[in-house]
Amino acid sequence: MGNELSKGNSHNNNRMAIAAMSNVMKLRSEDMKNLKSKCLANTSEVSGGIARKDFRIAMAEIDVDETDAEILDRLFTMFDMTGEDCIHALHFLVGASPLAVLGRANEKLRFAFELLDINQTGFVDRSDFEALLESINATASYFGDPVLSREQINGLADDILQSSNSFEYRDYIDTILSHHFVQQFITGAGSCRYGTGDT
Protein backbone atom coordinates (compact mmCIF):
# COMPACT_ATOMS: atom_id res chain seq x y z
CA MET A 1 0.00 0.00 0.00
CA GLY A 2 2.09 2.93 -1.10
CA ASN A 3 5.30 0.99 -1.74
CA GLU A 4 5.21 2.05 -5.36
CA LEU A 5 5.71 5.68 -4.40
CA SER A 6 9.41 5.44 -3.78
CA LYS A 7 10.64 2.43 -5.70
CA GLY A 8 12.64 4.82 -7.81
CA ASN A 9 14.68 5.86 -4.77
CA SER A 10 18.40 5.40 -5.08
CA HIS A 11 21.27 6.58 -2.94
CA ASN A 12 21.41 9.69 -5.17
CA ASN A 13 17.71 10.43 -4.80
CA ASN A 14 16.97 9.35 -1.25
CA ARG A 15 14.49 11.85 0.11
CA MET A 16 12.02 9.93 2.18
CA ALA A 17 8.41 10.24 1.10
CA ILE A 18 7.32 10.62 4.73
CA ALA A 19 9.59 13.70 5.02
CA ALA A 20 8.23 15.13 1.77
CA MET A 21 4.65 14.67 3.02
CA SER A 22 5.35 16.86 6.05
CA ASN A 23 5.92 19.71 3.58
CA VAL A 24 2.59 19.03 1.89
CA MET A 25 0.35 18.56 4.91
CA LYS A 26 -1.12 21.51 6.76
CA LEU A 27 -1.30 19.65 10.08
CA ARG A 28 1.41 20.93 12.46
CA SER A 29 2.70 19.93 15.88
CA GLU A 30 0.25 22.14 17.80
CA ASP A 31 -2.62 20.56 15.84
CA MET A 32 -1.25 17.10 16.62
CA LYS A 33 -1.12 17.93 20.35
CA ASN A 34 -4.74 19.09 20.19
CA LEU A 35 -5.70 15.95 18.27
CA LYS A 36 -3.95 13.85 20.93
CA SER A 37 -6.00 15.55 23.66
CA LYS A 38 -9.27 14.96 21.81
CA CYS A 39 -8.39 11.36 20.98
CA LEU A 40 -7.24 10.44 24.48
CA ALA A 41 -10.50 11.81 25.87
CA ASN A 42 -12.29 9.20 23.73
CA THR A 43 -10.03 6.17 24.19
CA SER A 44 -10.71 3.02 26.09
CA GLU A 45 -8.89 3.17 29.42
CA VAL A 46 -8.05 -0.53 29.17
CA SER A 47 -6.82 -0.85 25.58
CA GLY A 48 -5.98 2.73 24.63
CA GLY A 49 -8.14 2.15 21.57
CA ILE A 50 -10.15 4.71 19.66
CA ALA A 51 -12.92 3.93 17.17
CA ARG A 52 -12.74 5.43 13.69
CA LYS A 53 -15.95 7.42 14.24
CA ASP A 54 -14.47 9.01 17.37
CA PHE A 55 -11.20 9.70 15.57
CA ARG A 56 -13.09 11.45 12.76
CA ILE A 57 -15.03 13.51 15.32
CA ALA A 58 -11.73 14.50 16.98
CA MET A 59 -10.30 15.60 13.62
CA ALA A 60 -13.43 17.64 12.89
CA GLU A 61 -13.33 19.27 16.34
CA ILE A 62 -9.84 20.66 15.72
CA ASP A 63 -10.67 21.48 12.09
CA VAL A 64 -8.11 19.23 10.37
CA ASP A 65 -7.74 20.14 6.70
CA GLU A 66 -9.84 17.86 4.45
CA THR A 67 -6.85 16.44 2.55
CA ASP A 68 -4.90 15.87 5.77
CA ALA A 69 -7.95 14.16 7.29
CA GLU A 70 -8.13 11.82 4.28
CA ILE A 71 -4.44 10.90 4.66
CA LEU A 72 -4.86 10.28 8.39
CA ASP A 73 -8.00 8.23 7.75
CA ARG A 74 -6.07 6.02 5.31
CA LEU A 75 -3.29 5.62 7.85
CA PHE A 76 -5.96 4.67 10.40
CA THR A 77 -7.01 1.84 8.08
CA MET A 78 -3.44 0.58 7.88
CA PHE A 79 -2.98 0.72 11.67
CA ASP A 80 -6.26 -1.20 12.17
CA MET A 81 -4.75 -4.68 12.32
CA THR A 82 -7.98 -6.38 13.41
CA GLY A 83 -10.35 -4.77 10.91
CA GLU A 84 -12.62 -3.62 13.76
CA ASP A 85 -12.28 0.12 13.00
CA CYS A 86 -10.35 0.62 16.23
CA ILE A 87 -6.66 1.43 16.76
CA HIS A 88 -4.30 2.25 19.62
CA ALA A 89 -4.70 6.04 19.59
CA LEU A 90 -1.37 7.05 21.08
CA HIS A 91 0.70 4.70 18.92
CA PHE A 92 -1.10 5.94 15.84
CA LEU A 93 -0.49 9.61 16.68
CA VAL A 94 3.17 8.93 17.46
CA GLY A 95 3.50 7.13 14.13
CA ALA A 96 1.89 10.02 12.26
CA SER A 97 3.81 12.68 14.19
CA PRO A 98 6.65 13.10 11.62
CA LEU A 99 4.00 14.34 9.17
CA ALA A 100 3.25 17.30 11.46
CA VAL A 101 6.79 18.55 11.95
CA LEU A 102 8.73 20.59 9.44
CA GLY A 103 12.40 20.41 10.07
CA ARG A 104 15.18 18.03 10.84
CA ALA A 105 15.03 14.45 12.04
CA ASN A 106 15.98 15.44 15.60
CA GLU A 107 12.90 17.72 15.82
CA LYS A 108 10.63 15.00 14.44
CA LEU A 109 11.99 12.39 16.86
CA ARG A 110 11.81 14.73 19.86
CA PHE A 111 8.18 15.52 19.05
CA ALA A 112 7.32 11.82 18.69
CA PHE A 113 8.80 11.15 22.13
CA GLU A 114 6.93 14.12 23.63
CA LEU A 115 3.62 12.84 22.24
CA LEU A 116 4.32 9.38 23.62
CA ASP A 117 5.29 10.73 27.05
CA ILE A 118 1.76 11.35 28.36
CA ASN A 119 2.88 12.21 31.89
CA GLN A 120 5.80 14.34 30.65
CA THR A 121 8.35 12.49 32.80
CA GLY A 122 11.09 12.75 30.17
CA PHE A 123 11.63 8.98 30.33
CA VAL A 124 10.52 6.06 28.17
CA ASP A 125 10.90 2.35 28.77
CA ARG A 126 11.84 -0.31 26.24
CA SER A 127 8.29 -1.25 25.24
CA ASP A 128 7.36 2.40 24.63
CA PHE A 129 10.57 2.98 22.66
CA GLU A 130 9.90 -0.05 20.49
CA ALA A 131 6.27 1.05 20.03
CA LEU A 132 7.50 4.48 18.88
CA LEU A 133 9.88 2.90 16.34
CA GLU A 134 7.26 0.44 15.09
CA SER A 135 4.66 3.20 14.73
CA ILE A 136 6.94 5.51 12.75
CA ASN A 137 8.02 2.47 10.74
CA ALA A 138 4.40 1.72 9.84
CA THR A 139 3.78 5.28 8.65
CA ALA A 140 6.98 5.27 6.60
CA SER A 141 5.92 1.99 5.03
CA TYR A 142 2.59 3.50 3.97
CA PHE A 143 4.48 6.03 1.87
CA GLY A 144 6.74 3.35 0.40
CA ASP A 145 9.89 4.19 2.32
CA PRO A 146 12.34 1.49 3.42
CA VAL A 147 11.69 0.42 7.00
CA LEU A 148 13.55 -1.03 9.95
CA SER A 149 13.32 -4.79 10.35
CA ARG A 150 12.12 -6.29 13.63
CA GLU A 151 15.72 -7.37 14.34
CA GLN A 152 16.95 -3.81 13.75
CA ILE A 153 14.32 -2.39 16.13
CA ASN A 154 15.37 -4.92 18.80
CA GLY A 155 19.05 -4.20 18.17
CA LEU A 156 18.52 -0.46 18.40
CA ALA A 157 16.60 -0.85 21.68
CA ASP A 158 19.40 -3.09 23.02
CA ASP A 159 22.06 -0.55 22.07
CA ILE A 160 20.22 2.45 23.53
CA LEU A 161 18.93 0.87 26.73
CA GLN A 162 21.84 -1.52 27.33
CA SER A 163 20.94 -2.90 30.76
CA SER A 164 18.56 -0.08 31.78
CA ASN A 165 14.79 -0.36 32.04
CA SER A 166 14.21 3.19 30.76
CA PHE A 167 16.11 6.22 29.51
CA GLU A 168 15.77 9.99 29.43
CA TYR A 169 14.91 10.45 25.77
CA ARG A 170 15.98 14.11 25.41
CA ASP A 171 19.55 13.05 26.24
CA TYR A 172 19.53 10.29 23.63
CA ILE A 173 18.06 11.99 20.53
CA ASP A 174 21.48 12.46 18.88
CA THR A 175 22.65 8.99 19.91
CA ILE A 176 19.54 7.40 18.41
CA LEU A 177 19.82 9.41 15.20
CA SER A 178 23.50 8.56 14.75
CA HIS A 179 22.88 4.82 15.17
CA HIS A 180 23.69 2.98 11.94
CA PHE A 181 20.21 1.40 11.70
CA VAL A 182 18.54 4.80 12.03
CA GLN A 183 20.95 6.40 9.56
CA GLN A 184 20.05 3.67 7.08
CA PHE A 185 16.35 4.38 7.70
CA ILE A 186 16.66 8.19 7.45
CA THR A 187 18.70 8.14 4.25
CA GLY A 188 16.41 5.62 2.58
CA ALA A 189 19.39 3.30 2.11
CA GLY A 190 17.71 0.29 3.70
CA SER A 191 16.55 -2.59 1.57
CA CYS A 192 13.83 -3.78 3.94
CA ARG A 193 10.31 -2.96 2.77
CA TYR A 194 7.13 -3.53 4.69
CA GLY A 195 5.28 -6.65 3.63
CA THR A 196 8.30 -8.35 2.04
CA GLY A 197 8.78 -10.80 4.87
CA ASP A 198 11.91 -9.04 6.13
CA THR A 199 10.02 -6.92 8.65
Side-chain angles (χ1 to χ4, degrees):
M1 182 186 305
N3 278 346
E4 300 300 314
L5 291 175
S6 65
K7 277 192 176 169
N9 274 359
S10 69
H11 293 293
N12 296 328
N13 181 20
N14 60 10
R15 178 137 192 228
M16 292 185 69
I18 191 173
M21 283 305 298
S22 68
N23 290 315
V24 173
M25 293 184 70
K26 294 184 173 95
L27 188 76
R28 292 294 160 242
S29 56
E30 236 5 85
D31 302 317
M32 189 64 87
K33 288 177 189 174
N34 292 335
L35 186 57
K36 173 186 166 185
S37 295
K38 297 287 185 185
C39 287
L40 292 182
N42 289 299
T43 59
S44 161
E45 288 185 31
V46 175
S47 69
I50 187 169
R52 185 186 303 267
K53 66 178 179 56
D54 293 326
F55 180 67
R56 287 177 172 163
I57 290 168
M59 287 194 295
E61 286 177 349
I62 68 157
D63 200 26
V64 172
D65 173 77
E66 187 177 333
T67 302
D68 290 358
E70 185 176 328
I71 291 167
L72 292 174
D73 195 62
R74 289 180 183 190
L75 281 172
F76 187 106
T77 300
M78 190 187 74
F79 271 75
D80 180 14
M81 304 304 276
T82 63
E84 296 177 357
D85 262 3
C86 188
I87 59 170
H88 191 284
L90 190 57
H91 292 171
F92 173 78
L93 295 169
V94 166
S97 67
L99 299 172
V101 179
L102 292 171
R104 304 177 65 84
N106 63 338
E107 295 163 354
K108 292 175 185 288
L109 184 57
R110 183 176 294 108
F111 182 63
F113 274 121
E114 288 169 356
L115 276 183
L116 183 65
D117 185 9
I118 294 177
N119 297 320
Q120 298 301 298
T121 64
F123 287 84
V124 293
D125 63 18
R126 182 184 183 107
S127 65
D128 284 341
F129 182 45
E130 289 184 356
L132 178 144
L133 295 171
E134 289 167 359
S135 298
I136 292 174
N137 223 22
T139 301
S141 76
Y142 176 82
F143 294 105
D145 290 324
V147 297
L148 295 169
S149 69
R150 185 71 194 130
E151 287 94 14
Q152 288 174 322
I153 289 173
N154 287 334
L156 177 57
D158 287 343
D159 292 346
I160 298 301
L161 282 136
Q162 296 174 9
S163 61
S164 301
N165 294 326
S166 64
F167 66 98
E168 195 166 356
Y169 59 82
R170 288 178 188 93
D171 293 342
Y172 281 84
I173 300 284
D174 292 336
T175 305
I176 293 166
L177 291 175
S178 64
H179 193 281
H180 61 281
F181 291 151
V182 176
Q183 280 299 303
Q184 199 175 32
F185 175 76
I186 290 171
T187 61
S191 60
C192 187
R193 295 220 179 251
Y194 190 80
T196 62
D198 298 327
T199 58

